[in-house]
Amino acid sequence: MKVTSKIYNYSDNLEIDFVPNLAFLFFEGDNKKIMDACYKELLNINPNMEIVGVNGKRGNLNNNIPFIVTKEQISLMLFEVDDFFVKVFDVNDFQILRNDFVKNYNSFEKSAAILFFPFEYDTNHFLDYIQDEKNMYNIYGGVYTTSDNIGCFYNGEYYSDKLISVFFNQEKIEFFSKAIHGWKPIGISFKVTKSHKNIVYEIDNQPALKLIEEHIGVIKQENIDNFLHPFCVRHKDEISLASIKSVNREDNSIEFFKYIYDNEEIKISIPINQHNMMNLIEKELQDIDCDGLFMFSCVGRYAYYKDLLEFEVSKVSEYLNVSFAGFLTFGEIGSNTIKTKSILQNQTMNLIFFRNKI
């Protein structure tokens, strides 16, 4: 395996010292012109290259300066790798999707999948089935949203509502992940008692918004916009963050950026300080041995940490000194630690590491 990361813009030719056969492009969907130009240049390098793109509507990430790339740039991850393939799935029928995914995942004796889901989908339900019922782990990725009806891309075609998955043979390239967020749960646990999809109506059999505001005060729109009120959610045996998307004062409900289920426990959380955040990153990266990584970091981290996020990305680059690329997601798919199952998270930086096994 060979891998490198690049930042593409119109003025620079891509100088690569190998011939890639797989490319991940992280772009802003309302700038289709630069995406088409990059696609054309990649095909000039290798007409048979498999090219996957994802709309990082709020920003894309790279280990090269400026770390958070602009709308006029594309963050690239380029591979020369054996034993992989790409599939595009329709998500409208859950049974068909899960059967097709399982069939493709089983193409290798030991598989890993990097996948990208549309925002309006019950990703947790899919992950539960794939992992709990089929024992298929090593599932990683991010949730995208659309702009100008563009969410993702594969070999010249744009899509707004498809699942794109890249399947790898882990006999050739090994994947593992870690999740870092920097929020600390506090206080008592609450139980969700009435919910539908990503909207919570009742907590502890009381109106959800009314109960939560009794504990943290009025939830203002400016605080929602800055992602100041994430909750720690216990989903089965895993804990993740869920961010508030909106509140409805007419029915006292809370809308989240991910599905929340009845009987799940939630806790209010508060951020750790910046110094502790940097120490946490260093601690989590100790003893990591990898050839590169994908970085899928929540848009909420950018809204909350702002300029600190660029420092956070640069810290990962400095500490590991490997190629990486990724985007600001609307949900991050990965595991909290190396040995646990993958779950859907919010306000989290998921680092998907990979290394050559040959």
Side-chain angles (χ1 to χ4, degrees):
M1 178 191 71
K2 296 179 182 177
V3 63
T4 189
S5 59
K6 298 287 183 179
I7 295 177
Y8 173 83
N9 58 49
Y10 294 110
S11 60
D12 295 336
N13 291 323
L14 290 172
E15 296 182 0
I16 309 166
D17 59 4
F18 61 91
V19 180
N21 59 350
L22 173 63
F24 289 85
L25 283 61
F26 302 101
F27 65 100
E28 292 200 33
D30 53 358
N31 193 352
K32 187 171 176 285
K33 183 178 179 181
I34 191 172
M35 183 64 182
D36 291 341
C38 183
Y39 175 63
K40 182 178 180 180
E41 183 161 344
L42 289 172
L43 289 183
N44 287 335
I45 296 171
N46 180 0
N48 298 316
M49 192 184 309
E50 293 281 85
I51 302 173
V52 174
V54 185
N55 182 5
K57 185 177 179 180
R58 299 289 180 86
N60 298 290
L61 310 170
N62 199 281
N63 62 285
N64 297 294
I65 296 173
F67 302 118
I68 301 175
V69 304
T70 69
K71 183 184 293 188
E72 301 302 320
Q73 301 170 316
I74 294 177
S75 176
L76 301 175
M77 182 72 88
L78 302 167
F79 290 84
E80 182 182 339
V81 61
D82 296 327
D83 287 359
F84 77 93
F85 63 94
V86 183
K87 294 292 289 187
V88 178
F89 298 93
D90 194 320
V91 298
N92 293 325
D93 188 306
F94 179 75
Q95 185 170 353
I96 293 175
L97 169 62
R98 72 185 190 185
N99 290 341
D100 285 350
F101 188 90
V102 168
K103 179 182 177 181
N104 283 278
Y105 191 93
N106 285 332
S107 296
F108 300 123
E109 185 173 344
K110 187 177 182 183
S111 292
I114 303 294
L115 47 77
F116 305 104
F117 267 108
F119 175 70
E120 298 294 340
Y121 190 75
D122 186 359
T123 305
N124 262 342
H125 186 198
F126 174 84
L127 293 174
D128 284 346
Y129 174 82
I130 292 299
Q131 296 178 108
D132 294 346
E133 297 190 32
K134 294 297 182 179
N135 296 317
M136 294 179 175
Y137 298 93
N138 303 112
I139 308 291
Y140 312 105
V143 175
Y144 66 82
T145 187
T146 61
S147 50
D148 291 343
N149 209 35
I150 294 173
C152 58
F153 173 96
Y154 174 54
N155 284 359
E157 296 291 332
Y158 292 93
Y159 304 99
S160 62
D161 59 354
K162 303 292 186 182
L163 163 63
I164 291 185
S165 181
V166 184
F167 296 91
F168 293 90
N169 181 357
Q170 285 212 103
E171 296 297 328
K172 302 291 182 67
I173 175 173
E174 181 183 14
F175 288 83
F176 57 100
S177 76
K178 280 197 173 185
I180 303 171
H181 56 71
W183 291 78
K184 180 180 179 181
I186 59 169
I188 61 174
S189 295
F190 303 97
K191 180 175 286 189
V192 175
T193 47
K194 184 180 179 181
S195 63
H196 178 67
K197 295 185 176 181
N198 63 324
I199 300 177
V200 175
Y201 294 96
E202 293 183 4
I203 298 173
D204 288 346
N205 295 310
Q206 299 181 53
L209 180 60
K210 182 175 182 294
L211 176 63
I212 293 301
E213 289 191 330
E214 287 176 356
H215 288 82
I216 67 174
V218 176
I219 299 177
K220 299 178 181 179
Q221 185 59 47
E222 62 182 301
N223 291 343
I224 295 175
D225 293 341
N226 289 302
F227 295 84
L228 295 184
H229 300 297
F231 287 78
C232 283
V233 180
R234 179 177 290 278
H235 179 70
K236 297 190 175 181
D237 294 326
E238 300 295 332
I239 296 176
S240 63
L241 286 181
S243 304
I244 295 177
K245 185 178 181 183
S246 68
V247 298
N248 186 328
R249 299 197 177 279
E250 292 185 3
D251 62 7
N252 271 293
S253 65
I254 304 174
E255 181 184 18
F256 289 88
F257 274 99
K258 58 180 283 185
Y259 280 41
I260 305 290
Y261 304 99
D262 289 354
N263 298 316
E264 287 187 333
E265 292 184 356
I266 64 173
K267 268 191 171 186
I268 297 165
S269 61
I270 59 173
I272 63 177
N273 63 43
Q274 295 181 5
H275 176 73
N276 287 341
M277 185 68 224
M278 294 303 106
N279 287 341
L280 176 62
I281 291 174
E282 287 196 11
K283 178 182 176 182
E284 292 295 330
L285 296 181
Q286 286 181 0
D287 302 321
I288 293 294
D289 176 22
C290 68
D291 295 317
L293 64 99
F294 291 99
M295 178 180 285
F296 303 133
S297 190
C298 182
V299 294
R301 297 182 68 78
Y302 192 38
Y304 180 79
Y305 287 112
K306 296 183 172 62
D307 292 341
L308 181 62
L309 182 62
E310 184 175 331
F311 182 61
E312 178 177 285
V313 177
S314 69
K315 191 77 171 177
V316 175
S317 178
E318 175 188 346
Y319 199 88
L320 292 178
N321 193 30
V322 295
S323 296
F324 65 80
F327 71 119
L328 296 180
T329 65
F330 284 76
E332 306 77 56
I333 301 167
S335 54
N336 286 324
T337 61
I338 291 174
K339 296 182 179 180
T340 55
K341 62 179 279 190
S342 290
I343 54 177
L344 179 66
Q345 317 227 26
N346 286 156
Q347 277 183 252
T348 299
M349 176 174 65
N350 264 337
L351 303 177
I352 316 302
F353 307 100
F354 52 85
R355 58 192 174 202
N356 203 352
K357 289 197 71 176
I358 297 177

